[in-house]
Amino acid sequence: MVIWHELELHSVKEKQQLVFSTSRNSFNTLRKLFQWVAEPCRSVCFYTEEHEVRCVNMAASCRSILRVVAGCQRQLLLSSASCASSASNVSQNAARPHPVLVRNYAAAAKAAKKPKKFEKDIKKEEEEEKKKQQLEERKKKQREKIDDTSRHKPYGLTAWAPIDDVYVVRHYPKPVYDADVAVDMLKSFQKLDFTPEDQPVFIDLQLNMKLEKKKKIDPFVSTVHLPHPFKKEANRVVFFTENPDQARLATENGAAVVGGAELVEKILEDEITADFFLAVPDIIPKLLPLKNKLRKKFPKSKRGSVGVNVPKMLQLFKTGHEYMVERDCCIITQVATLDMPTEHILENMRAIIKDASSHKPAEFGPLIERIITSSKTSEAVRIKTDTLLPQEVKEEP
């Protein structure tokens, strides 16, 4: 191994170069060799059996080299001793049996320290809680119906009824009329406004869909047979079936179009239109392409448009009137035309109200909370619910 070492002399401002060839175990030979050198000389050569050393100007440089070699030897001795001790420790530790520690669960995370709350923060939280409680109490009071009939005037209003014909509406409670009076008012409005006599009459029912606890009645669609139909023409009905006997029955009972899966393409291309679409349960899977086209008119068992009793279905949907629950709490539908007699209009109203009330069990209270009627061009008139709601028949013991 050849090592080039450059020495800087403190006494002489010159640099000398030393070249020597040595092996790992030649530190003792080098030490003896450099101790023999006592005086500076220009060029000295020493030969051993395996090594060759050439020294140039080795007066002061030999002493520094001697110190370097001694330091290297010391480091080698220390490192060898540490290696030996570590090897012995490893062998002793390997001989000893160590218990195997196994953790079968995850270490619990340390709970984060909660920030200290100052008095100001505590006060703010208390104020917010009080505000929330006050809001909840106000909401409860608003929900609860206050019986103020025994008072001389209702809460928040001026009086029960205005004295003059001209008054501010918001200062008095909204008037509620009997059903026959309300219909007569609509007819009088038509005469005063010079509007058409045959304009439609609508009814608006506000529903209480709540049941026990958090349960509610699902919005429904129903078809009712009105005692006095207001439509001049019968409904156009399409009946889907592949059974020849059922097809014959459908045509005999007044179905406009009868057929099977071959009608799907014609309906998609708007070649066939109808007010109602009825079907037999066996053919429903073949009518699935019509779902997006028909939407609410698609045959469903809930609406009664899917069944096996062909004459009964056609009799209901040919002359029946369909209504549905909108916005989860109200029914708005036409019941008659204004040129019909008052008794016929009231009977149609009672038929729709009776059919709608049947969707809620009587033990949970009445379904209908408010009834409003109006014509196409008149203002709305509120009706007393007691005059139109079906009355329970008490059985005599």
Side-chain angles (χ1 to χ4, degrees), residues 233-280:
E233 297 179 358
N235 297 323
R236 183 178 172 83
V237 181
V238 174
F239 197 89
F240 292 99
T241 182
E242 292 180 344
N243 190 340
D245 296 333
Q246 292 176 344
R248 181 177 51 80
L249 278 173
T251 51
E252 289 176 358
N253 285 275
V257 181
V258 180
E262 67 275 3
L263 299 177
V264 173
E265 293 182 1
K266 295 180 180 180
I267 294 171
L268 290 173
E269 294 175 358
D270 294 331
E271 294 180 8
I272 297 174
T273 57
D275 297 319
F276 295 101
F277 294 86
L278 311 181
V280 178

mmCIF file of all heavy atoms in Angstrom, residues 233-280:
data_model
loop_
_atom_site.group_PDB
_atom_site.id
_atom_site.type_symbol
_atom_site.label_atom_id
_atom_site.label_comp_id
_atom_site.label_asym_id
_atom_site.label_seq_id
_atom_site.Cartn_x
_atom_site.Cartn_y
_atom_site.Cartn_z
ATOM 1 N N GLU A 233 -116.419 14.652 -21.718
ATOM 2 C CA GLU A 233 -115.991 13.450 -22.435
ATOM 3 C C GLU A 233 -115.368 12.463 -21.457
ATOM 4 O O GLU A 233 -114.742 12.857 -20.466
ATOM 5 C CB GLU A 233 -114.973 13.805 -23.527
ATOM 6 C CG GLU A 233 -115.533 14.711 -24.623
ATOM 7 C CD GLU A 233 -114.489 15.047 -25.665
ATOM 8 O OE1 GLU A 233 -113.326 14.597 -25.500
ATOM 9 O OE2 GLU A 233 -114.829 15.750 -26.630
ATOM 10 N N ALA A 234 -115.511 11.179 -21.772
ATOM 11 C CA ALA A 234 -114.912 10.143 -20.937
ATOM 12 C C ALA A 234 -113.404 10.108 -21.140
ATOM 13 O O ALA A 234 -112.878 10.532 -22.181
ATOM 14 C CB ALA A 234 -115.530 8.784 -21.276
ATOM 15 N N ASN A 235 -112.719 9.589 -20.152
ATOM 16 C CA ASN A 235 -111.254 9.499 -20.222
ATOM 17 C C ASN A 235 -110.835 8.458 -21.266
ATOM 18 O O ASN A 235 -111.487 7.427 -21.433
ATOM 19 C CB ASN A 235 -110.682 9.111 -18.864
ATOM 20 C CG ASN A 235 -110.965 10.164 -17.803
ATOM 21 O OD1 ASN A 235 -110.937 11.365 -18.095
ATOM 22 N ND2 ASN A 235 -111.226 9.726 -16.584
ATOM 23 N N ARG A 236 -109.753 8.731 -21.937
ATOM 24 C CA ARG A 236 -109.203 7.802 -22.932
ATOM 25 C C ARG A 236 -108.255 6.851 -22.205
ATOM 26 O O ARG A 236 -107.289 7.292 -21.554
ATOM 27 C CB ARG A 236 -108.458 8.583 -24.022
ATOM 28 C CG ARG A 236 -107.912 7.731 -25.153
ATOM 29 C CD ARG A 236 -107.236 8.611 -26.178
ATOM 30 N NE ARG A 236 -106.529 7.836 -27.178
ATOM 31 C CZ ARG A 236 -107.078 7.299 -28.247
ATOM 32 N NH1 ARG A 236 -108.395 7.452 -28.457
ATOM 33 N NH2 ARG A 236 -106.372 6.606 -29.121
ATOM 34 N N VAL A 237 -108.510 5.534 -22.333
ATOM 35 C CA VAL A 237 -107.775 4.518 -21.584
ATOM 36 C C VAL A 237 -107.123 3.554 -22.560
ATOM 37 O O VAL A 237 -107.746 3.104 -23.532
ATOM 38 C CB VAL A 237 -108.704 3.749 -20.621
ATOM 39 C CG1 VAL A 237 -107.916 2.715 -19.830
ATOM 40 C CG2 VAL A 237 -109.411 4.711 -19.689
ATOM 41 N N VAL A 238 -105.839 3.210 -22.284
ATOM 42 C CA VAL A 238 -105.092 2.190 -23.027
ATOM 43 C C VAL A 238 -104.890 1.004 -22.099
ATOM 44 O O VAL A 238 -104.435 1.171 -20.957
ATOM 45 C CB VAL A 238 -103.735 2.733 -23.519
ATOM 46 C CG1 VAL A 238 -102.920 1.617 -24.167
ATOM 47 C CG2 VAL A 238 -103.940 3.876 -24.498
ATOM 48 N N PHE A 239 -105.208 -0.196 -22.576
ATOM 49 C CA PHE A 239 -105.105 -1.403 -21.757
ATOM 50 C C PHE A 239 -104.067 -2.344 -22.376
ATOM 51 O O PHE A 239 -104.157 -2.690 -23.545
ATOM 52 C CB PHE A 239 -106.459 -2.113 -21.673
ATOM 53 C CG PHE A 239 -106.534 -3.110 -20.560
ATOM 54 C CD1 PHE A 239 -106.946 -2.722 -19.304
ATOM 55 C CD2 PHE A 239 -106.188 -4.445 -20.765
ATOM 56 C CE1 PHE A 239 -107.010 -3.636 -18.266
ATOM 57 C CE2 PHE A 239 -106.245 -5.359 -19.750
ATOM 58 C CZ PHE A 239 -106.654 -4.958 -18.488
ATOM 59 N N PHE A 240 -103.074 -2.760 -21.547
ATOM 60 C CA PHE A 240 -101.999 -3.656 -22.000
ATOM 61 C C PHE A 240 -102.311 -5.080 -21.545
ATOM 62 O O PHE A 240 -102.444 -5.345 -20.333
ATOM 63 C CB PHE A 240 -100.649 -3.229 -21.422
ATOM 64 C CG PHE A 240 -100.143 -1.921 -21.946
ATOM 65 C CD1 PHE A 240 -100.296 -0.749 -21.203
ATOM 66 C CD2 PHE A 240 -99.512 -1.848 -23.178
ATOM 67 C CE1 PHE A 240 -99.826 0.448 -21.686
ATOM 68 C CE2 PHE A 240 -99.036 -0.639 -23.661
ATOM 69 C CZ PHE A 240 -99.199 0.509 -22.906
ATOM 70 N N THR A 241 -102.401 -5.994 -22.493
ATOM 71 C CA THR A 241 -102.572 -7.410 -22.195
ATOM 72 C C THR A 241 -102.240 -8.222 -23.440
ATOM 73 O O THR A 241 -102.399 -7.745 -24.572
ATOM 74 C CB THR A 241 -104.000 -7.721 -21.719
ATOM 75 O OG1 THR A 241 -104.099 -9.104 -21.397
ATOM 76 C CG2 THR A 241 -105.018 -7.368 -22.787
ATOM 77 N N GLU A 242 -101.792 -9.465 -23.220
ATOM 78 C CA GLU A 242 -101.510 -10.390 -24.321
ATOM 79 C C GLU A 242 -102.482 -11.566 -24.329
ATOM 80 O O GLU A 242 -102.388 -12.439 -25.182
ATOM 81 C CB GLU A 242 -100.060 -10.886 -24.220
ATOM 82 C CG GLU A 242 -99.044 -9.792 -24.484
ATOM 83 C CD GLU A 242 -97.617 -10.301 -24.383
ATOM 84 O OE1 GLU A 242 -97.427 -11.405 -23.822
ATOM 85 O OE2 GLU A 242 -96.704 -9.610 -24.860
ATOM 86 N N ASN A 243 -103.392 -11.564 -23.370
ATOM 87 C CA ASN A 243 -104.413 -12.616 -23.294
ATOM 88 C C ASN A 243 -105.596 -12.213 -24.179
ATOM 89 O O ASN A 243 -106.177 -11.132 -23.996
ATOM 90 C CB ASN A 243 -104.865 -12.783 -21.842
ATOM 91 C CG ASN A 243 -105.732 -14.004 -21.657
ATOM 92 O OD1 ASN A 243 -106.314 -14.530 -22.608
ATOM 93 N ND2 ASN A 243 -105.829 -14.449 -20.408
ATOM 94 N N PRO A 244 -106.003 -13.031 -25.130
ATOM 95 C CA PRO A 244 -107.116 -12.648 -26.036
ATOM 96 C C PRO A 244 -108.442 -12.469 -25.307
ATOM 97 O O PRO A 244 -109.248 -11.602 -25.675
ATOM 98 C CB PRO A 244 -107.171 -13.802 -27.044
ATOM 99 C CG PRO A 244 -106.445 -14.925 -26.410
ATOM 100 C CD PRO A 244 -105.428 -14.335 -25.510
ATOM 101 N N ASP A 245 -108.713 -13.257 -24.252
ATOM 102 C CA ASP A 245 -109.969 -13.108 -23.507
ATOM 103 C C ASP A 245 -110.023 -11.767 -22.775
ATOM 104 O O ASP A 245 -111.058 -11.088 -22.781
ATOM 105 C CB ASP A 245 -110.118 -14.256 -22.507
ATOM 106 C CG ASP A 245 -110.228 -15.614 -23.194
ATOM 107 O OD1 ASP A 245 -110.692 -15.634 -24.366
ATOM 108 O OD2 ASP A 245 -109.844 -16.621 -22.577
ATOM 109 N N GLN A 246 -108.883 -11.387 -22.136
ATOM 110 C CA GLN A 246 -108.830 -10.096 -21.440
ATOM 111 C C GLN A 246 -108.902 -8.939 -22.433
ATOM 112 O O GLN A 246 -109.519 -7.899 -22.145
ATOM 113 C CB GLN A 246 -107.543 -9.996 -20.614
ATOM 114 C CG GLN A 246 -107.503 -10.947 -19.434
ATOM 115 C CD GLN A 246 -106.187 -10.891 -18.685
ATOM 116 O OE1 GLN A 246 -105.185 -10.362 -19.189
ATOM 117 N NE2 GLN A 246 -106.170 -11.444 -17.471
ATOM 118 N N ALA A 247 -108.316 -9.103 -23.598
ATOM 119 C CA ALA A 247 -108.381 -8.058 -24.627
ATOM 120 C C ALA A 247 -109.825 -7.860 -25.101
ATOM 121 O O ALA A 247 -110.272 -6.724 -25.317
ATOM 122 C CB ALA A 247 -107.483 -8.440 -25.795
ATOM 123 N N ARG A 248 -110.569 -8.963 -25.219
ATOM 124 C CA ARG A 248 -111.968 -8.849 -25.635
ATOM 125 C C ARG A 248 -112.796 -8.135 -24.577
ATOM 126 O O ARG A 248 -113.628 -7.268 -24.891
ATOM 127 C CB ARG A 248 -112.531 -10.257 -25.910
ATOM 128 C CG ARG A 248 -113.971 -10.288 -26.375
ATOM 129 C CD ARG A 248 -114.397 -11.720 -26.678
ATOM 130 N NE ARG A 248 -114.097 -12.619 -25.562
ATOM 131 C CZ ARG A 248 -114.862 -12.721 -24.471
ATOM 132 N NH1 ARG A 248 -115.948 -11.969 -24.340
ATOM 133 N NH2 ARG A 248 -114.539 -13.578 -23.522
ATOM 134 N N LEU A 249 -112.553 -8.467 -23.298
ATOM 135 C CA LEU A 249 -113.272 -7.802 -22.201
ATOM 136 C C LEU A 249 -112.976 -6.302 -22.167
ATOM 137 O O LEU A 249 -113.861 -5.476 -21.916
ATOM 138 C CB LEU A 249 -112.883 -8.428 -20.865
ATOM 139 C CG LEU A 249 -113.588 -9.714 -20.470
ATOM 140 C CD1 LEU A 249 -112.971 -10.289 -19.211
ATOM 141 C CD2 LEU A 249 -115.082 -9.459 -20.257
ATOM 142 N N ALA A 250 -111.711 -5.946 -22.422
ATOM 143 C CA ALA A 250 -111.309 -4.538 -22.384
ATOM 144 C C ALA A 250 -112.004 -3.736 -23.476
ATOM 145 O O ALA A 250 -112.481 -2.614 -23.240
ATOM 146 C CB ALA A 250 -109.794 -4.435 -22.519
ATOM 147 N N THR A 251 -112.089 -4.290 -24.654
ATOM 148 C CA THR A 251 -112.755 -3.568 -25.753
ATOM 149 C C THR A 251 -114.266 -3.439 -25.495
ATOM 150 O O THR A 251 -114.881 -2.419 -25.821
ATOM 151 C CB THR A 251 -112.513 -4.301 -27.084
ATOM 152 O OG1 THR A 251 -112.854 -5.691 -26.925
ATOM 153 C CG2 THR A 251 -111.058 -4.179 -27.502
ATOM 154 N N GLU A 252 -114.849 -4.455 -24.876
ATOM 155 C CA GLU A 252 -116.282 -4.408 -24.576
ATOM 156 C C GLU A 252 -116.608 -3.355 -23.516
ATOM 157 O O GLU A 252 -117.691 -2.765 -23.534
ATOM 158 C CB GLU A 252 -116.767 -5.773 -24.107
ATOM 159 C CG GLU A 252 -116.822 -6.812 -25.210
ATOM 160 C CD GLU A 252 -117.223 -8.178 -24.699
ATOM 161 O OE1 GLU A 252 -117.429 -8.303 -23.448
ATOM 162 O OE2 GLU A 252 -117.326 -9.120 -25.501
ATOM 163 N N ASN A 253 -115.664 -3.113 -22.596
ATOM 164 C CA ASN A 253 -115.906 -2.163 -21.508
ATOM 165 C C ASN A 253 -115.396 -0.756 -21.819
ATOM 166 O O ASN A 253 -115.329 0.085 -20.914
ATOM 167 C CB ASN A 253 -115.240 -2.661 -20.224
ATOM 168 C CG ASN A 253 -116.008 -3.811 -19.605
ATOM 169 O OD1 ASN A 253 -116.966 -3.609 -18.859
ATOM 170 N ND2 ASN A 253 -115.605 -5.048 -19.923
ATOM 171 N N GLY A 254 -115.021 -0.502 -23.045
ATOM 172 C CA GLY A 254 -114.746 0.871 -23.454
ATOM 173 C C GLY A 254 -113.303 1.297 -23.490
ATOM 174 O O GLY A 254 -113.017 2.499 -23.478
ATOM 175 N N ALA A 255 -112.338 0.364 -23.552
ATOM 176 C CA ALA A 255 -110.931 0.746 -23.678
ATOM 177 C C ALA A 255 -110.674 1.297 -25.069
ATOM 178 O O ALA A 255 -111.115 0.724 -26.079
ATOM 179 C CB ALA A 255 -110.027 -0.455 -23.411
ATOM 180 N N ALA A 256 -109.952 2.415 -25.151
ATOM 181 C CA ALA A 256 -109.692 3.054 -26.447
ATOM 182 C C ALA A 256 -108.713 2.235 -27.270
ATOM 183 O O ALA A 256 -108.911 2.051 -28.480
ATOM 184 C CB ALA A 256 -109.152 4.462 -26.239
ATOM 185 N N VAL A 257 -107.653 1.728 -26.653
ATOM 186 C CA VAL A 257 -106.640 0.934 -27.355
ATOM 187 C C VAL A 257 -106.315 -0.274 -26.486
ATOM 188 O O VAL A 257 -106.130 -0.152 -25.264
ATOM 189 C CB VAL A 257 -105.349 1.760 -27.606
ATOM 190 C CG1 VAL A 257 -104.318 0.914 -28.352
ATOM 191 C CG2 VAL A 257 -105.662 3.028 -28.385
ATOM 192 N N VAL A 258 -106.238 -1.456 -27.122
ATOM 193 C CA VAL A 258 -105.887 -2.689 -26.418
ATOM 194 C C VAL A 258 -104.783 -3.366 -27.201
ATOM 195 O O VAL A 258 -104.856 -3.483 -28.440
ATOM 196 C CB VAL A 258 -107.106 -3.635 -26.293
ATOM 197 C CG1 VAL A 258 -106.710 -4.907 -25.552
ATOM 198 C CG2 VAL A 258 -108.257 -2.941 -25.592
ATOM 199 N N GLY A 259 -103.751 -3.836 -26.499
ATOM 200 C CA GLY A 259 -102.632 -4.495 -27.165
ATOM 201 C C GLY A 259 -101.584 -4.944 -26.175
ATOM 202 O O GLY A 259 -101.749 -4.793 -24.950
ATOM 203 N N GLY A 260 -100.478 -5.460 -26.728
ATOM 204 C CA GLY A 260 -99.398 -5.971 -25.902
ATOM 205 C C GLY A 260 -98.146 -5.129 -26.035
ATOM 206 O O GLY A 260 -98.188 -3.897 -26.102
ATOM 207 N N ALA A 261 -96.997 -5.823 -26.127
ATOM 208 C CA ALA A 261 -95.710 -5.126 -26.186
ATOM 209 C C ALA A 261 -95.516 -4.378 -27.498
ATOM 210 O O ALA A 261 -94.636 -3.513 -27.591
ATOM 211 C CB ALA A 261 -94.575 -6.141 -25.998
ATOM 212 N N GLU A 262 -96.320 -4.669 -28.519
ATOM 213 C CA GLU A 262 -96.169 -3.974 -29.802
ATOM 214 C C GLU A 262 -96.590 -2.506 -29.715
ATOM 215 O O GLU A 262 -96.255 -1.702 -30.588
ATOM 216 C CB GLU A 262 -96.987 -4.681 -30.892
ATOM 217 C CG GLU A 262 -98.487 -4.610 -30.722
ATOM 218 C CD GLU A 262 -99.040 -5.700 -29.809
ATOM 219 O OE1 GLU A 262 -98.225 -6.484 -29.259
ATOM 220 O OE2 GLU A 262 -100.275 -5.768 -29.662
ATOM 221 N N LEU A 263 -97.294 -2.116 -28.640
ATOM 222 C CA LEU A 263 -97.732 -0.720 -28.484
ATOM 223 C C LEU A 263 -96.636 0.193 -27.920
ATOM 224 O O LEU A 263 -96.793 1.412 -27.914
ATOM 225 C CB LEU A 263 -98.959 -0.645 -27.566
ATOM 226 C CG LEU A 263 -100.218 -1.395 -28.024
ATOM 227 C CD1 LEU A 263 -101.297 -1.273 -26.966
ATOM 228 C CD2 LEU A 263 -100.714 -0.842 -29.350
ATOM 229 N N VAL A 264 -95.542 -0.399 -27.442
ATOM 230 C CA VAL A 264 -94.489 0.389 -26.775
ATOM 231 C C VAL A 264 -93.868 1.382 -27.750
ATOM 232 O O VAL A 264 -93.714 2.571 -27.440
ATOM 233 C CB VAL A 264 -93.424 -0.551 -26.176
ATOM 234 C CG1 VAL A 264 -92.240 0.261 -25.628
ATOM 235 C CG2 VAL A 264 -94.021 -1.407 -25.069
ATOM 236 N N GLU A 265 -93.501 0.918 -28.934
ATOM 237 C CA GLU A 265 -92.857 1.804 -29.905
ATOM 238 C C GLU A 265 -93.800 2.916 -30.368
ATOM 239 O O GLU A 265 -93.383 4.065 -30.554
ATOM 240 C CB GLU A 265 -92.378 0.985 -31.107
ATOM 241 C CG GLU A 265 -91.258 0.006 -30.784
ATOM 242 C CD GLU A 265 -90.788 -0.751 -32.014
ATOM 243 O OE1 GLU A 265 -91.345 -0.475 -33.101
ATOM 244 O OE2 GLU A 265 -89.895 -1.605 -31.862
ATOM 245 N N LYS A 266 -95.075 2.612 -30.525
ATOM 246 C CA LYS A 266 -96.042 3.622 -30.959
ATOM 247 C C LYS A 266 -96.225 4.711 -29.902
ATOM 248 O O LYS A 266 -96.377 5.893 -30.225
ATOM 249 C CB LYS A 266 -97.377 2.964 -31.271
ATOM 250 C CG LYS A 266 -97.326 2.005 -32.463
ATOM 251 C CD LYS A 266 -98.685 1.383 -32.734
ATOM 252 C CE LYS A 266 -98.623 0.429 -33.916
ATOM 253 N NZ LYS A 266 -99.948 -0.189 -34.182
ATOM 254 N N ILE A 267 -96.206 4.292 -28.622
ATOM 255 C CA ILE A 267 -96.343 5.286 -27.542
ATOM 256 C C ILE A 267 -95.095 6.151 -27.434
ATOM 257 O O ILE A 267 -95.179 7.366 -27.205
ATOM 258 C CB ILE A 267 -96.635 4.562 -26.204
ATOM 259 C CG1 ILE A 267 -97.990 3.882 -26.273
ATOM 260 C CG2 ILE A 267 -96.585 5.541 -25.038
ATOM 261 C CD1 ILE A 267 -98.276 2.964 -25.112
ATOM 262 N N LEU A 268 -93.919 5.550 -27.639
ATOM 263 C CA LEU A 268 -92.675 6.322 -27.593
ATOM 264 C C LEU A 268 -92.613 7.345 -28.726
ATOM 265 O O LEU A 268 -92.013 8.418 -28.567
ATOM 266 C CB LEU A 268 -91.471 5.378 -27.670
ATOM 267 C CG LEU A 268 -91.219 4.501 -26.437
ATOM 268 C CD1 LEU A 268 -90.103 3.495 -26.711
ATOM 269 C CD2 LEU A 268 -90.861 5.348 -25.215
ATOM 270 N N GLU A 269 -93.208 7.022 -29.872
ATOM 271 C CA GLU A 269 -93.223 7.939 -31.021
ATOM 272 C C GLU A 269 -94.437 8.858 -31.023
ATOM 273 O O GLU A 269 -94.693 9.557 -32.013
ATOM 274 C CB GLU A 269 -93.193 7.123 -32.313
ATOM 275 C CG GLU A 269 -91.887 6.355 -32.509
ATOM 276 C CD GLU A 269 -91.917 5.462 -33.732
ATOM 277 O OE1 GLU A 269 -92.988 5.435 -34.399
ATOM 278 O OE2 GLU A 269 -90.899 4.801 -34.018
ATOM 279 N N ASP A 270 -95.204 8.881 -29.907
ATOM 280 C CA ASP A 270 -96.372 9.763 -29.728
ATOM 281 C C ASP A 270 -97.480 9.483 -30.748
ATOM 282 O O ASP A 270 -98.302 10.359 -31.045
ATOM 283 C CB ASP A 270 -95.964 11.240 -29.812
ATOM 284 C CG ASP A 270 -95.074 11.647 -28.664
ATOM 285 O OD1 ASP A 270 -95.210 11.042 -27.579
ATOM 286 O OD2 ASP A 270 -94.252 12.553 -28.834
ATOM 287 N N GLU A 271 -97.537 8.273 -31.236
ATOM 288 C CA GLU A 271 -98.643 7.901 -32.124
ATOM 289 C C GLU A 271 -99.908 7.575 -31.337
ATOM 290 O O GLU A 271 -101.014 7.706 -31.850
ATOM 291 C CB GLU A 271 -98.236 6.704 -32.988
ATOM 292 C CG GLU A 271 -97.124 7.008 -33.983
ATOM 293 C CD GLU A 271 -96.758 5.796 -34.822
ATOM 294 O OE1 GLU A 271 -97.493 4.774 -34.701
ATOM 295 O OE2 GLU A 271 -95.784 5.869 -35.581
ATOM 296 N N ILE A 272 -99.722 7.167 -30.051
ATOM 297 C CA ILE A 272 -100.848 6.830 -29.188
ATOM 298 C C ILE A 272 -100.732 7.676 -27.922
ATOM 299 O O ILE A 272 -99.690 7.696 -27.262
ATOM 300 C CB ILE A 272 -100.858 5.333 -28.832
ATOM 301 C CG1 ILE A 272 -101.053 4.487 -30.100
ATOM 302 C CG2 ILE A 272 -101.943 5.022 -27.819
ATOM 303 C CD1 ILE A 272 -100.934 2.994 -29.860
ATOM 304 N N THR A 273 -101.791 8.367 -27.556
ATOM 305 C CA THR A 273 -101.859 9.154 -26.310
ATOM 306 C C THR A 273 -103.133 8.768 -25.582
ATOM 307 O O THR A 273 -104.141 8.367 -26.197
ATOM 308 C CB THR A 273 -101.868 10.659 -26.608
ATOM 309 O OG1 THR A 273 -102.959 10.964 -27.469
ATOM 310 C CG2 THR A 273 -100.561 11.096 -27.256
ATOM 311 N N ALA A 274 -103.097 8.921 -24.229
ATOM 312 C CA ALA A 274 -104.262 8.552 -23.420
ATOM 313 C C ALA A 274 -104.179 9.249 -22.070
ATOM 314 O O ALA A 274 -103.116 9.754 -21.668
ATOM 315 C CB ALA A 274 -104.324 7.035 -23.245
ATOM 316 N N ASP A 275 -105.299 9.258 -21.367
ATOM 317 C CA ASP A 275 -105.354 9.832 -20.018
ATOM 318 C C ASP A 275 -104.866 8.840 -18.973
ATOM 319 O O ASP A 275 -104.233 9.233 -17.981
ATOM 320 C CB ASP A 275 -106.794 10.251 -19.689
ATOM 321 C CG ASP A 275 -107.302 11.341 -20.628
ATOM 322 O OD1 ASP A 275 -106.513 12.259 -20.924
ATOM 323 O OD2 ASP A 275 -108.461 11.256 -21.069
ATOM 324 N N PHE A 276 -105.148 7.544 -19.178
ATOM 325 C CA PHE A 276 -104.735 6.510 -18.228
ATOM 326 C C PHE A 276 -104.227 5.297 -19.012
ATOM 327 O O PHE A 276 -104.694 5.013 -20.118
ATOM 328 C CB PHE A 276 -105.910 6.085 -17.331
ATOM 329 C CG PHE A 276 -106.393 7.183 -16.431
ATOM 330 C CD1 PHE A 276 -107.532 7.899 -16.762
ATOM 331 C CD2 PHE A 276 -105.721 7.499 -15.262
ATOM 332 C CE1 PHE A 276 -107.995 8.912 -15.944
ATOM 333 C CE2 PHE A 276 -106.173 8.512 -14.439
ATOM 334 C CZ PHE A 276 -107.300 9.227 -14.775
ATOM 335 N N PHE A 277 -103.266 4.593 -18.373
ATOM 336 C CA PHE A 277 -102.686 3.374 -18.952
ATOM 337 C C PHE A 277 -102.856 2.262 -17.921
ATOM 338 O O PHE A 277 -102.320 2.351 -16.804
ATOM 339 C CB PHE A 277 -101.207 3.574 -19.288
ATOM 340 C CG PHE A 277 -100.963 4.574 -20.384
ATOM 341 C CD1 PHE A 277 -100.867 5.931 -20.095
ATOM 342 C CD2 PHE A 277 -100.845 4.164 -21.705
ATOM 343 C CE1 PHE A 277 -100.649 6.852 -21.111
ATOM 344 C CE2 PHE A 277 -100.627 5.080 -22.716
ATOM 345 C CZ PHE A 277 -100.532 6.430 -22.418
ATOM 346 N N LEU A 278 -103.604 1.234 -18.299
ATOM 347 C CA LEU A 278 -103.854 0.096 -17.419
ATOM 348 C C LEU A 278 -103.154 -1.138 -17.984
ATOM 349 O O LEU A 278 -102.895 -1.220 -19.192
ATOM 350 C CB LEU A 278 -105.364 -0.177 -17.304
ATOM 351 C CG LEU A 278 -106.259 1.034 -16.983
ATOM 352 C CD1 LEU A 278 -107.712 0.598 -16.888
ATOM 353 C CD2 LEU A 278 -105.809 1.716 -15.717
ATOM 354 N N ALA A 279 -102.851 -2.088 -17.073
ATOM 355 C CA ALA A 279 -102.109 -3.270 -17.513
ATOM 356 C C ALA A 279 -102.404 -4.448 -16.601
ATOM 357 O O ALA A 279 -102.886 -4.287 -15.472
ATOM 358 C CB ALA A 279 -100.614 -2.991 -17.542
ATOM 359 N N VAL A 280 -102.092 -5.637 -17.134
ATOM 360 C CA VAL A 280 -102.166 -6.881 -16.370
ATOM 361 C C VAL A 280 -100.782 -7.120 -15.739
ATOM 362 O O VAL A 280 -99.763 -6.766 -16.331
ATOM 363 C CB VAL A 280 -102.553 -8.049 -17.311
ATOM 364 C CG1 VAL A 280 -102.598 -9.368 -16.569
ATOM 365 C CG2 VAL A 280 -103.895 -7.763 -17.950
#
